[in-house]
Amino acid sequence: MHRRSRLNRRVALGVGGLMVASGLAAIPLALNASAATTATVTVAAGSSLGTVPATAFGLNTAVFDQYLTDSSATTLMKAAGVTQLRYPGGSYSDMYHWKTNTVDGSGYVAPNTDFDHFMATAKSVGADPMVIANYGDGTAAEAAAWVSYANVTKGYGVKHWEIGNEVYGNGHYGSAWENDTHADKSPTAYANAVVAYAKAMKAVDPTVKIGAVLTTPGNWPDGIVASGDSADWNNTVLSIAGGSIDFVSLHWYPTASSTAALLRTPTAIAGATSTVKALIAKYTSRSVAVSVTETDGLNSPARTSQAAALFAPDTYMTWLEQGINAVDWWDLHNGAGAVTTVDGQTDYKDEGVLSNGSCGSGGVCEPAHETPFPTYFGLKSLTALASPGDTMVKASSTSTLVGVHAVKAADGGLNVMLINKSPDTAATVGLAYTGYTPASGGVTTVTYLKNGTALTTAVQGTATLQTLPAYSITTLKLAPSSGTAASASASASASASASASAAPTATGKASATATATTAATCKVAYTTNDWGSGFTASVTVTNTGTSALNGWRVSYTYTGNQTLSGTGWNGTWSQSGRTVTIANAGWNGSLAVGGSATAGANFGYSGSNAAPTAFAVNGTACSTV
């Protein structure tokens, strides 16, 4: 609730009597959803937009969140593939003192939200921590001491540190929501402080990455030159601090008067990114990354309802396709507001992805705390599309009502996310591919539907024709027509006279063994716990090579009708036909020499349940035990 009261002032900010909207650009009129939607989607699988960063899928956390360290919240974040957690919480960061776990003024800090508890949560989730150093009433010395505690005393290895939150909201441009006790509130003062902070913090740990706050192009106060300044915020900050920083931090809360307009706002992202990159290049030749450290549907009708769920993955992927280093949704838990009905669905006006069980105005209360909102499943849908290290490729749609993103997976598979933005009409989509020929037959899809309480996996449609339910997110899991990496490894194993044994043991487990003709750099162990009509599969991958393995993807093929049930754990499981693929989770992708990781999932079957005889990791045949 503390964060929400501050953010509401961002909807329209007064500057010299002028009301300035915070969106990137004017939003088109509401989309026409009354007619049937047809679209052609083209995927250029050979046209790379870069790899998915390790920090891509982020989420904000806050010290005022009483449920921040709940084990159930940790489990849900892990399942959603969260790879970055930002702390200590928006504007609270500019009045937060890490050593005492306190905020100045009347701010509330919940129990067990101190830095060590946060780090324990981040480690359990497997997420990179993004920490905001207090600029508002803090000092460079305080920030340096935090780095020392985190990385020298505790050995946490925190790499990403922002200097302040939305410092441009300190009153210098007429609107003040951000705490800033400095007499000089100009961008020049902030930029000089960033240089000082960076010097002090890197003196403690030269490997840390320092970030400076910029305004997102098109957002207030971008382009405004205040009295006494020679340039606007971004030009001033970069001209002074550009040589001292490693990344810049943007916040994006697009203004939209309708849900249809909200779903059109990602079209403005390319222009904003281009402007930021040009500014960075103007002032420094150093490699300076860009992170979007806050975003959601705040300034629109939808915050927890289905339109916001569709907006989430579209926003993440559109920014990432422009070369952004990370996107952090606001936030884990927040609190109910003026509850309304949006597109026939209750919207609790809560910016959290999980309910905190609070009651909004009018006495309407949220579901029990830790109940996922649709926005949670929008974020979780990304686990079916992409993993860090995968290659994003170009994709386009002939209809503004059908969004598309595509990713070439490490095992050679192609994942295509289709977003039907019509609230009441299904979409018929024809798909065409260049640089890739999908296998024929039914396609495994992972879908999130309006009012859904989980992602659903099914085999439906083909690689060239899909029907998308209204207001849905559907991800196609495509294998190449020439055979998956798993089938290639099966052939290699066959030539090596592979042998297999699937006889159940006394505990109901089965094992598979095979011998490769050449020395493998990986080893896979496969066991099951079989109860007759279904079983739990456990797959352990071990790095037997001579160097660390950064990111792994296991592929194998069943000979029977074994069918994946649910989403599995400790990795992203998917199935296309008889071929199963497991991609590492965010926390277990890095395997040192001799290191291993285990993932599991449940399957159903009828008839025989023979164990697979060949496995591949990242397209390379592995030995099995």
Side-chain angles (χ1 to χ4, degrees), residues 12 65 72 77-78 101 169 225 232 267 288 297 335 368 385 403 416 418 476 532 563:
D65 178 7
S72 52
M77 285 190 283
K78 184 185 297 187
N101 192 39
V225 179
D232 66 357
T267 59
V288 177
L385 176 67
V416 182
L418 302 170
L476 316 184
T563 303

Side-chain angles (χ1 to χ4, degrees), residues 76-125:
L76 286 164
M77 285 190 283
K78 184 185 297 187
V82 172
T83 60
Q84 181 166 273
L85 288 177
R86 186 170 179 254
Y87 174 90
S91 294
Y92 261 49
S93 307
D94 277 319
M95 52 186 177
Y96 177 75
H97 301 283
W98 69 271
K99 196 168 187 178
T100 57
N101 192 39
T102 58
V103 294
D104 294 325
S106 58
Y108 169 73
V109 175
N112 300 321
T113 59
D114 57 86
F115 180 59
D116 287 315
H117 276 87
F118 163 75
M119 285 304 304
T121 296
K123 183 177 180 181
S124 295
V125 173

Side-chain angles (χ1 to χ4, degrees), residues 14-375:
V15 184
L18 175 66
M19 300 304 286
V20 182
S22 66
L24 279 176
I27 305 302
L29 295 176
L31 302 173
N32 178 12
S34 60
T37 303
T38 58
T40 298
V41 163
T42 302
V43 179
S47 184
S48 173
L49 296 174
T51 58
V52 178
T55 53
F57 307 121
L59 188 64
N60 277 271
T61 63
V63 293
F64 57 74
D65 178 7
Q66 62 181 318
Y67 300 122
L68 169 60
T69 57
D70 269 13
S71 60
S72 52
T74 298
T75 299
L76 286 164
M77 285 190 283
K78 184 185 297 187
V82 172
T83 60
Q84 181 166 273
L85 288 177
R86 186 170 179 254
Y87 174 90
S91 294
Y92 261 49
S93 307
D94 277 319
M95 52 186 177
Y96 177 75
H97 301 283
W98 69 271
K99 196 168 187 178
T100 57
N101 192 39
T102 58
V103 294
D104 294 325
S106 58
Y108 169 73
V109 175
N112 300 321
T113 59
D114 57 86
F115 180 59
D116 287 315
H117 276 87
F118 163 75
M119 285 304 304
T121 296
K123 183 177 180 181
S124 295
V125 173
D128 173 81
M130 167 80 79
V131 177
I132 314 165
N134 182 347
Y135 170 77
D137 57 14
T139 64
E142 181 182 34
W146 199 352
V147 173
S148 179
Y149 177 79
N151 295 351
V152 179
T153 302
K154 302 293 289 190
Y156 288 143
V158 178
K159 295 301 180 187
H160 295 97
W161 300 78
E162 293 179 66
I163 311 304
N165 185 53
E166 294 171 350
V167 184
Y168 46 78
N170 60 7
H172 185 67
Y173 296 101
S175 290
W177 65 82
E178 199 77 11
N179 182 48
D180 185 355
T181 60
H182 298 89
D184 185 351
K185 294 178 171 54
S186 68
T188 297
Y190 171 71
N192 286 326
V194 169
V195 173
Y197 271 67
K199 182 178 179 180
M201 296 163 79
K202 290 193 175 188
V204 175
D205 181 354
T207 69
V208 298
K209 306 295 184 183
I210 303 299
V213 173
L214 295 188
T215 64
T216 302
N219 282 233
W220 183 93
D222 179 46
I224 297 175
V225 179
S227 176
D229 295 341
S230 59
D232 66 357
W233 182 275
N234 286 356
N235 280 278
T236 302
V237 170
L238 286 170
S239 67
I240 296 171
S244 299
I245 61 175
D246 303 287
F247 68 96
V248 296
S249 171
L250 307 178
H251 289 182
W252 189 53
Y253 292 94
T255 298
S257 59
S258 67
T259 54
L262 173 67
L263 296 176
R264 290 292 299 271
T265 58
T267 59
I269 288 173
T273 308
S274 177
T275 300
V276 169
K277 290 183 176 180
L279 280 172
I280 292 171
K282 177 180 178 181
Y283 292 110
T284 179
S285 59
R286 300 175 67 249
S287 176
V288 177
V290 182
S291 291
V292 178
T293 55
E294 287 187 23
T295 188
D296 70 14
L298 167 69
N299 295 330
S300 80
R303 297 188 196 173
T304 66
S305 52
Q306 188 72 0
L310 273 56
F311 171 74
D314 201 15
T315 293
Y316 274 93
M317 291 308 301
T318 304
W319 281 110
L320 294 171
E321 288 161 357
Q322 297 299 319
I324 299 302
N325 193 53
V327 181
D328 302 326
W329 189 264
W330 183 272
D331 64 343
L332 177 60
H333 303 98
N334 204 12
V339 181
T340 60
T341 299
V342 177
D343 296 324
Q345 190 177 38
T346 300
D347 194 303
Y348 295 96
K349 291 297 181 284
D350 187 324
E351 294 171 72
V353 297
L354 302 178
S355 169
N356 68 357
S358 60
C359 299
S361 57
V364 180
C365 298
E366 296 180 344
H369 81 272
E370 310 305 7
T371 300
F373 290 127
T375 44

Side-chain angles (χ1 to χ4, degrees), residues 472-530:
S472 66
I473 304 167
T474 302
T475 302
L476 316 184
K477 312 287 286 183
L478 305 173
S481 63
S482 57
T484 64
S487 63
S489 68
S491 176
S493 297
S495 66
S497 300
S499 62
S501 172
T505 65
T507 60
K509 294 184 177 180
S511 62
T513 61
T515 304
T517 55
T518 58
T521 58
C522 49
K523 180 172 63 178
V524 174
Y526 174 91
T527 61
T528 65
N529 183 10
D530 195 318

